Amino acid sequence: MGKGGSLSDNVIKSIILSYTYVSIWIFLSFTVIVYNKYILDKKLYNWPFPISLTMIHMSFCASLAFLLIKVFKVVEPVSMSKDLYISSVVPIGALYSLSLWLSNSAYIYLSVSFIQMLKALMPVAVYSIGVLFKKESFKTDTMINMVSISFGVAIAAYGEAKFDTWGVLLQLGAVAFEATRLVLIQILLTSKGITLNPITSLYYVAPCCLVFLLVPWIFVEYPILKQTSSFEFNFVVFGTNSFCAFALNLAVFLLVGKTSALTMNVGGVVKDWLLIAFSWSVIKDTVTPINLFGYGLAFMGVAYYNHAKLQALKAKEAEKKVAQADVEAHRLQEENQGEGNDK
């Protein structure tokens, strides 16, 4: 088949690898969400201590990251000054701890399916906070799209059979903190040329999260856990749960590094529909037609947002290629003029 056949094989291989990365990420994300729900739900494993669960995850991830960097030297640590750590990593760690705490707490009050519907507000939060911090430019059509996503989620909330106000507030808070964290990563780290892979990220951020979580844990959960003498720590349950959380961080890095953040967003939509179907068919959560109609509207808004992002990236890439071509043409022209002058 010659070169054409070789090119075709490479394209097919690239497509298969992309689908493999997406599948691994969806599987691990799906597993962590369902596993956390199983542990925290009072009707299932019945261990409703979200701060403690988050601290177990962070302790496991920080320890494993330390071993991989300092002992086995699998990954090189990123050089970071004390001032940079305090000014950049500490606020990101604080927001991450709040996001994880509130999102895990929501599983106690809300169904898996409804939580996924509320998570559709993430693009709205990221865009709004990006505009607030001047990382995104305000565009009327984008804001209209954000309003349509919010409207769809509002309809889904209206149709929720087991609506819990406190649970909704917890999940919305988690979305707000996570969106702020993502914007601050761009402002505080990316803009300074610092990129952290999942292992170095956990190495720096996880201990910070532990410190921030320790304060509410001492006052909120520790007194209750102290009185619960019947509980025995199950190393299999919490060990495998923590390992899944660590593996998910690696999968995110693999997916974004080998494909793009946009691919992860599209894969996230597939994951959400799978979780809604799982929640309805296996966990037996109630999913109403109004739920699905509202989430369908939000889904179309998110899909349009992803499409607009993709077009913007393509346009930016095209502009970059044109600029490079102009620079190359200018360089060749100068070389030709130089040769003419030498003659």
Side-chain angles (χ1 to χ4, degrees):
M1 290 177 70
K3 292 183 178 179
S6 176
L7 180 62
S8 179
D9 290 342
N10 288 335
V11 170
I12 292 170
K13 185 180 177 181
S14 177
I15 291 170
I16 292 172
L17 283 174
S18 295
Y19 275 108
T20 302
Y21 297 138
V22 171
S23 299
I24 291 170
W25 175 76
I26 288 176
F27 172 76
L28 287 170
S29 183
F30 185 100
T31 302
V32 169
I33 289 169
V34 173
Y35 212 158
N36 287 352
K37 173 67 175 177
Y38 167 74
I39 291 172
L40 295 165
D41 198 301
K42 294 177 182 179
K43 296 177 183 177
L44 299 172
Y45 190 76
N46 190 25
W47 199 70
F49 300 102
I51 306 175
S52 301
L53 182 64
T54 308
M55 289 178 71
I56 291 169
H57 287 173
M58 290 297 103
S59 300
F60 182 90
C61 291
S63 302
L64 201 52
F66 177 83
L67 289 173
L68 291 172
I69 291 175
K70 292 295 185 181
V71 179
F72 299 109
K73 301 187 185 298
V74 175
V75 179
E76 286 292 326
V78 177
S79 58
M80 187 175 296
S81 65
K82 184 180 177 181
D83 290 340
L84 182 62
Y85 184 86
I86 293 171
S87 64
S88 300
V89 176
V90 169
I92 290 170
L95 290 166
Y96 194 37
S97 63
L98 287 167
S99 171
L100 291 172
W101 170 19
L102 296 184
S103 62
N104 282 334
S105 299
Y107 287 113
I108 300 172
Y109 305 96
L110 303 175
S111 67
V112 170
S113 58
F114 187 43
I115 285 174
Q116 298 314 120
M117 293 176 189
L118 291 174
K119 283 181 180 179
L121 289 170
M122 184 60 73
V124 179
V126 171
Y127 177 73
S128 301
I129 293 168
V131 170
L132 187 65
F133 283 94
K134 297 181 179 178
K135 290 299 292 182
E136 293 273 1
S137 57
F138 179 86
K139 295 178 182 177
T140 305
D141 56 342
T142 305
M143 187 52 71
I144 291 171
N145 186 30
M146 297 297 106
V147 171
S148 70
I149 295 172
S150 304
F151 182 66
V153 172
I155 292 174
Y158 176 77
E160 176 60 21
K162 297 178 181 177
F163 186 92
D164 186 286
T165 304
W166 180 238
V168 171
L169 289 175
L170 286 171
Q171 185 54 48
L172 292 179
V175 168
F177 284 125
E178 178 62 11
T180 308
R181 182 183 77 90
L182 293 174
V183 173
L184 281 188
I185 286 174
Q186 287 184 311
I187 296 172
L188 300 177
L189 291 178
T190 309
S191 61
K192 296 175 183 177
I194 297 172
T195 54
L196 300 176
N197 63 46
I199 298 174
T200 52
S201 177
L202 289 171
Y203 175 77
Y204 288 111
V205 175
C208 185
C209 287
L210 272 174
V211 172
F212 280 107
L213 290 168
L214 190 62
V215 176
W217 180 77
I218 290 171
F219 293 102
V220 178
E221 291 186 1
Y222 176 68
I224 303 172
L225 285 166
K226 195 176 180 181
Q227 295 172 1
T228 313
S229 56
S230 59
F231 175 75
E232 291 183 8
F233 189 87
N234 191 319
F235 284 94
V236 175
V237 170
F238 291 101
T240 52
N241 178 247
S242 298
F243 182 78
C244 287
F246 181 81
L248 177 59
N249 278 280
L250 297 183
V252 170
F253 175 69
L254 186 69
L255 180 62
V256 175
K258 299 296 183 180
T259 57
S260 67
L262 193 63
T263 302
M264 192 175 79
N265 289 340
V266 175
V269 172
V270 176
K271 179 205 69 179
D272 291 344
W273 281 111
L274 287 173
L275 279 165
I276 290 169
F278 179 85
S279 177
W280 170 73
S281 60
V282 179
I283 304 178
K284 302 301 180 184
D285 286 332
T286 303
V287 179
T288 67
I290 298 177
N291 271 150
L292 293 177
F293 175 72
Y295 183 65
L297 288 177
F299 162 74
M300 287 190 288
V302 172
Y304 178 78
Y305 176 75
N306 288 334
H307 172 73
K309 278 280 187 184
L310 179 61
Q311 295 303 314
L313 284 172
K314 285 182 177 178
K316 193 174 182 180
E317 195 65 29
E319 287 178 6
K320 190 176 179 182
K321 287 181 179 178
V322 169
Q324 287 175 344
D326 288 342
V327 170
E328 185 64 20
H330 184 67
R331 184 183 66 80
L332 289 171
Q333 187 179 8
E334 286 184 340
E335 286 181 358
N336 291 333
Q337 286 177 350
E339 290 175 1
N341 292 333
D342 289 339
K343 290 177 183 179

